[in-house]
Amino acid sequence: MLWSARELNAQFGDARLTQRFMLLTEQLAEHPQSPIPEACGEWKDTKAAYRFFDHAKVTPAKILDPHRKATIDRLQGHDVVLATQDTTVLNFTAHQETAGLGPIGGPEGLLGFFCHSCLAVSAQGVPLGLLGQKFWARPAERAGRETKPLEERESYRWIEMMEDAVGGIPDGVRVVMVADREAGFYELFSRGVSGGRDLLIRAQDKRLAGEMPYLSDALFAAPLLGRQTVLVPKKPRLPERQATLAIHAAPVTLRPPQGRGPGPALTGLWVYEESDPPAGTAPIEWLLLTTLPVADLGDAARVVVWYSYRWRIERFHHVLKSGCQVEKLQLETERRLENALAAYSIVAWRLLHLTYAAREHPAQPCTSVLSNSEWKALYATIHKTTVVPDQPPDLSTATRWIARLGGFLGRRHDGEPGVRVLWRGMRTLVTITQTWELFRPPPTYG
């Protein structure tokens, strides 16, 4: 269980809402790809789910807050945590009867809203949980950028999340904010540096103070420090691959807008693939700006690996949309959709956590992720026996067994199981665990 009933009672202020949320989250986790009626099973449970998402006391923040507290607990013992941010578009054009949607760009007539998430990731690349999430719909007509103060622009979400996400994080845990080019605007760097935040941002070609007018000019002239290999996640029709990246680095100072100053002092890195990538793939090239120290190749390589973990937040949104299929939700208002998305976000994180925890900590007991009933039912099914050992298998072994339930063959060239086969395997595991608990005789005591 990711939280206690006491925490949820305090959050919702209603014991019935607490019970409904705990049951609903369990049902969604058991059937992450199913529509709400199918996941809930019975019509009374489906109606209860709709009432929960529409309740005045229920908000995305209240749904996610217990998960966020559990995430912060998981940060204990970590020296460094990467707070990865990204925005995804949720397309609900097929459900135009839903109130509160707005334009989402692209061809005229597309409707939906936006989801901005901040995912905590360990320095080894394991997703630890959500630190924050924000939803919004655009008005049909938007005022120009120049007519709004910074705090009212969409881009302010990056600064807001940077400042809010670190709240409550234990002393001694260094939080590094990691984001793509959309976050590479001057105000974020300025506020981050002045507020003592650690930043690792893929930059646009920023103007610099000093002899070199642009970031690219300074970094193209910087010496080669060395190379680092990173793991590039799979994409449609493209397998996971390793990429070896050349790294150049130099100290830089951003040029402030007229009338402001001085600009923040940072380290810039130029990172690129020297060899040709597989056909159909663009070579990696990053201009990075960071507050982190970069004194030598070891520091630079660590920064590059940490930036590569930004792909985790993209995978999280992929699981949320393609795995949990949230864009197929048929709810009547944006508010109900946002509450449902917050609940599904917890489910999506659990699936992602299982995938990467098994890769980074394969020797851990599987009880760090699975319940006793789950691993015993899994062992009995794989080995076709009712006799299970006293000690659970390690996480890597259990994860590959779950993947086998989802159709993973485990051949030499198959690599590690991905999220999709684990989705299918977890659904099967739920069923066999229920059967195990139903027919397994209760323990007897002398």
Side-chain angles (χ1 to χ4, degrees):
M1 182 59 63
L2 303 177
W3 43 72
S4 69
R6 179 179 295 179
E7 287 177 321
L8 292 173
N9 280 335
Q11 197 69 15
F12 295 123
D14 188 318
R16 290 175 299 176
L17 283 178
T18 294
Q19 292 172 351
R20 167 46 51 191
F21 177 67
M22 293 175 76
L23 175 61
L24 178 58
T25 305
E26 182 179 335
Q27 290 169 329
L28 297 181
E30 291 174 359
H31 307 284
Q33 292 180 295
S34 301
I36 289 175
E38 184 179 329
C40 291
E42 298 185 16
W43 176 236
K44 64 180 178 64
D45 289 335
T46 302
K47 289 194 296 182
Y50 291 150
R51 286 196 299 269
F52 176 83
F53 291 136
D54 199 40
H55 199 285
K57 292 183 179 180
V58 177
T59 65
K62 288 185 176 181
I63 289 172
L64 285 172
D65 193 60
H67 168 76
R68 186 181 189 279
K69 290 176 180 175
T71 298
I72 289 175
D73 288 342
R74 282 188 288 273
L75 304 189
Q76 296 281 358
H78 289 267
D79 295 328
V80 174
V81 169
L82 311 175
T84 60
Q85 290 194 51
D86 200 18
T87 302
T88 193
V89 178
L90 296 162
N91 187 344
F92 291 101
T93 306
H95 310 297
Q96 296 196 19
E97 67 280 4
T98 300
L101 302 179
I104 55 174
E108 186 176 353
L110 294 184
L111 295 174
F113 56 91
F114 297 82
C115 170
H116 186 81
S117 306
C118 182
L119 181 72
V121 178
S122 75
Q124 294 74 42
V126 178
L128 301 173
L130 286 168
L131 292 173
Q133 197 170 54
K134 177 181 176 63
F135 303 103
W136 75 96
R138 285 176 178 166
E141 295 183 6
R142 291 195 294 160
R145 184 178 186 273
E146 69 283 352
T147 66
K148 288 187 176 184
L150 174 64
E151 288 75 9
E152 296 179 16
R153 300 176 196 164
E154 276 192 10
S155 60
Y156 187 68
R157 68 189 184 275
W158 299 95
I159 296 175
E160 187 177 33
M161 194 68 76
M162 174 181 67
E163 295 174 345
D164 291 349
V166 297
I169 290 180
D171 293 339
V173 179
R174 186 174 195 171
V175 181
V176 181
M177 191 64 58
V178 183
D180 205 352
R181 279 179 292 195
E182 193 177 352
F185 54 98
Y186 180 85
E187 291 86 352
L188 183 136
F189 289 110
S190 178
R191 291 205 186 188
V193 170
S194 63
R197 310 295 189 210
D198 275 314
L199 305 174
L200 175 51
I201 311 293
R202 184 178 177 190
Q204 303 163 20
D205 197 2
K206 310 295 290 184
R207 292 185 66 85
L208 303 180
E211 297 180 1
M212 296 289 188
Y214 288 97
L215 179 61
S216 58
D217 295 328
L219 295 180
F220 291 171
L224 174 69
L225 287 180
R227 295 165 179 81
Q228 174 62 36
T229 299
V230 300
L231 193 64
V232 182
K234 66 175 64 175
K235 296 181 179 180
R237 296 181 295 279
L238 291 172
E240 187 177 75
R241 69 183 180 94
Q242 289 190 328
T244 299
L245 308 177
I247 308 171
H248 300 248
V252 296
T253 300
L254 296 188
R255 181 178 298 174
Q258 190 171 7
R260 302 188 203 176
L266 303 161
T267 297
L269 296 96
W270 175 33
V271 181
Y272 57 93
E273 278 188 276
E274 293 177 298
S275 57
D276 292 334
T281 303
I284 292 173
E285 183 174 15
W286 298 331
L287 294 178
L288 305 179
L289 286 171
T290 185
T291 59
L292 297 167
V294 182
D296 53 29
L297 176 59
D299 289 343
R302 181 165 50 249
V303 167
V304 170
V305 170
W306 285 355
Y307 184 76
S308 75
Y309 294 155
R310 194 200 66 81
W311 281 314
R312 301 293 192 265
I313 186 69
E314 292 187 358
R315 294 298 295 168
F316 166 75
H317 285 147
H318 174 76
V319 173
L320 185 64
K321 295 194 325 185
S322 298
C324 298
Q325 299 188 7
V326 294
E327 289 173 313
K328 295 184 179 180
L329 289 172
Q330 298 185 38
L331 296 169
E332 294 178 353
T333 66
E334 180 202 0
R335 183 176 176 278
R336 293 182 187 179
L337 278 173
E338 289 178 358
N339 286 333
L341 283 162
Y344 272 105
S345 291
I346 300 168
V347 176
W349 165 77
R350 190 191 183 208
L351 290 167
L352 199 68
H353 176 72
L354 174 63
T355 303
Y356 288 104
R359 295 186 182 190
E360 298 300 327
H361 306 295
Q364 269 189 353
C366 70
T367 47
S368 62
V369 174
L370 303 178
S371 69
N372 281 327
S373 292
E374 285 175 329
W375 79 257
K376 289 178 180 179
L378 178 63
Y379 183 97
T381 300
I382 293 296
H383 294 87
K384 296 181 172 53
T385 180
T386 58
V387 180
V388 297
D390 294 331
Q391 298 299 316
D394 60 47
L395 186 55
S396 176
T397 300
T399 301
R400 293 181 77 86
W401 289 348
I402 293 171
R404 281 175 59 185
L405 297 180
F408 182 68
L409 299 179
R411 296 166 297 188
R412 181 176 301 177
H413 64 276
D414 287 336
E416 294 298 319
V419 175
R420 187 172 297 277
V421 293
L422 288 173
W423 295 333
R424 295 196 294 262
M426 285 298 291
R427 293 185 67 180
T428 303
L429 179 58
V430 167
T431 302
I432 64 177
T433 300
Q434 290 171 341
T435 304
W436 175 269
E437 292 176 337
L438 181 63
F439 291 103
R440 192 71 175 170
T444 57
Y445 302 95

